[in-house]
């Protein structure tokens, strides 16, 4: 699947992990840094919206080495 950082304001380390690929989109886990604690949500994103977020730079693929640091 894959892990992506979300473009944010400030120094938070928000990221999204694709849990499951479906015909028309993805089930994703989104982890946001909310004042020192993680806000974890599971949601759906369409393939069209996902592609748009990649194209505009809102989502950036995380390298395998970085993923270990983000999940620590």
């Amino acid at each position: 699947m894959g892990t992506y950082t979300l473009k944010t304001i400030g120094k938070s380390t928000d990221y999204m992990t694709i849990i499951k690929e479906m015909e028309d989109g993805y089930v994703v886990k989104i982890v946001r840094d909310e004042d020192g604690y993680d806000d974890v949500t599971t949601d759906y994103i369409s393939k069209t919206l996902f592609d748009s977020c990649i194209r505009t730079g809102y989502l950036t693929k995380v390298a395998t080495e970085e993923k270990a640091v983000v999940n620590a």
Side-chain angles (χ1 to χ4, degrees):
M1 300 286 159
T3 299
Y4 299 82
T5 58
L6 282 72
K7 188 174 189 175
T8 59
I9 298 172
K11 296 181 182 181
S12 64
T13 54
D14 301 348
Y15 65 95
M16 178 184 85
T17 302
I18 297 174
I19 297 172
K20 179 180 180 182
E21 183 173 358
M22 301 172 73
E23 184 177 316
D24 57 346
Y26 304 97
V27 176
V28 297
K29 178 176 80 171
I30 301 169
V31 180
R32 292 187 178 273
D33 180 6
E34 297 287 338
D35 297 326
Y37 70 93
D38 288 341
D39 176 33
V40 181
T41 58
T42 302
D43 211 336
Y44 171 84
I45 184 171
S46 70
K47 287 187 177 183
T48 304
L49 179 56
F50 178 82
D51 292 341
S52 178
C53 290
I54 293 290
R55 207 172 36 256
T56 61
Y58 183 75
L59 293 174
T60 305
K61 179 103 169 145
V62 173
T64 306
E65 300 83 41
E66 292 179 74
K67 182 179 176 185
V69 172
V70 170
N71 288 329

